Amino acid sequence: GESVGLHLPTLSVQEGDNSIINCAYSNSASDYFIWYKQESGKGPQFIIDIRSNMDKRQGQRVTVLLNKTVKHLSLQIAATQPGDSAVYFCAENRVQGAQKLVFGQGTRLTINP
Amino acid sequence: SQTIHQWPATLVQPVGSPLSLECTVEGTSNPNLYWYRQAAGRGLQLLFYSVGIGQISSEVPQNLSASRPQDRQFILSSKKLLLSDSGFYLCAWTALTSGRDQETQYFGPGTRLLVL
């Protein structure tokens, strides 16, 4: 379910390293997933999405992996840069036609110089 | 291209005062519109969404209301603010394409509300 009241988990990585942010979802009927990046004081920004008929999708320096068997979604960021520091949210579309996304609690990624 | 605007960017209001936050979308027609609230360091909570003019769905019982007087305008209101209404309010839109019901939501810049 939604975790709007929980403190964000954090992840720290060294600049230039790869980072992996994980997200677990609960509804096996969810068929569309999105990753958002939110910088401090700004609205969430779309990064990449994936539909349930795929298990991997790549963008520029980012890759999303979907494992429907264990209901797990991950975002991989290659060669992290200081500008990657932000909170990352996964979101799922649980109900067809309802046009509502359910967001994960978010992970705060910090890039260390 | 599509853009989404929110104003004001920040707002400080006393407890018991009214509230009106506005969201407008440009470059699209008949969007779905959404209001979210985000407490500091927390996730996103869906408050309202609208699939058309005058059509509002409320997700959680609360002190707030929403209205959609025009196709690309979404307003969040309160008659009397509570301390617990403080937060970061985000508006989002999505465009439905015929035959598809999975579309990315795009967010506005947000309004930071502090109720004292």
Side-chain angles (χ1 to χ4, degrees):
Chain A
E2 296 179 56
S3 304
V4 294
L6 299 181
H7 285 282
L8 301 175
T10 59
L11 174 66
S12 292
V13 300
Q14 291 297 122
E15 182 178 352
D17 288 352
N18 299 332
S19 65
I20 300 176
I21 301 170
N22 298 302
C23 182
Y25 63 96
S26 58
N27 191 336
S28 58
S30 293
D31 52 9
Y32 179 56
F33 305 87
I34 309 171
W35 278 102
Y36 287 93
K37 172 186 179 183
Q38 186 177 25
E39 296 176 272
S40 181
K42 298 182 179 180
Q45 177 185 11
F46 170 85
I47 301 175
I48 192 168
D49 60 1
I50 189 168
R51 302 194 186 276
S52 59
N53 60 353
M54 303 172 67
D55 53 19
K56 180 179 180 179
R57 192 169 186 214
Q58 288 184 293
Q60 187 177 12
R61 284 199 307 118
V62 295
T63 301
V64 55
L65 299 177
L66 176 62
N67 186 330
K68 294 182 286 293
T69 302
V70 296
K71 297 198 283 283
H72 184 265
L73 190 69
S74 68
L75 176 72
Q76 300 178 1
I77 305 175
T80 52
Q81 304 168 358
D84 294 328
S85 293
V87 176
Y88 291 82
F89 290 98
C90 64
E92 62 182 298
N93 184 329
R94 284 187 177 175
V95 180
Q96 284 236 346
Q99 279 302 301
K100 292 190 291 183
L101 295 178
V102 176
F103 285 82
Q105 66 180 119
T107 297
R108 184 179 302 279
L109 176 65
T110 301
I111 309 302
N112 300 315
Chain B
S1 64
Q2 299 88 4
T3 56
I4 180 169
H5 304 279
Q6 287 186 245
W7 63 89
T10 58
L11 190 60
V12 180
Q13 290 286 98
V15 170
S17 64
L19 174 73
S20 181
L21 303 182
E22 189 165 344
C23 170
T24 59
V25 182
E26 295 177 356
T28 187
S29 58
N30 196 29
N32 280 8
L33 296 171
Y34 305 81
W35 277 113
Y36 290 86
R37 176 169 55 205
Q38 185 177 34
R42 300 291 200 273
L44 295 163
Q45 181 183 37
L46 179 62
L47 302 176
F48 302 95
Y49 71 97
S50 171
V51 299
I53 295 174
Q55 300 179 64
I56 308 295
S57 297
S58 176
E59 287 296 295
V60 293
Q62 59 199 303
N63 183 44
L64 302 169
S65 61
S67 61
R68 185 169 177 176
Q70 300 180 47
D71 181 45
R72 288 169 287 177
Q73 183 184 33
F74 205 23
I75 297 173
L76 185 69
S77 304
S78 174
K79 293 181 179 179
K80 289 185 179 181
L81 283 168
L82 306 172
L83 287 174
S84 58
D85 291 324
S86 294
F88 192 43
Y89 288 85
L90 289 155
C91 182
W93 73 275
T94 188
L96 280 177
T97 302
S98 177
R100 297 178 61 184
D101 55 10
Q102 303 160 351
E103 291 292 347
T104 303
Q105 287 184 19
Y106 296 95
F107 286 84
T111 294
R112 188 163 303 283
L113 172 66
L114 178 61
V115 182
L116 300 175

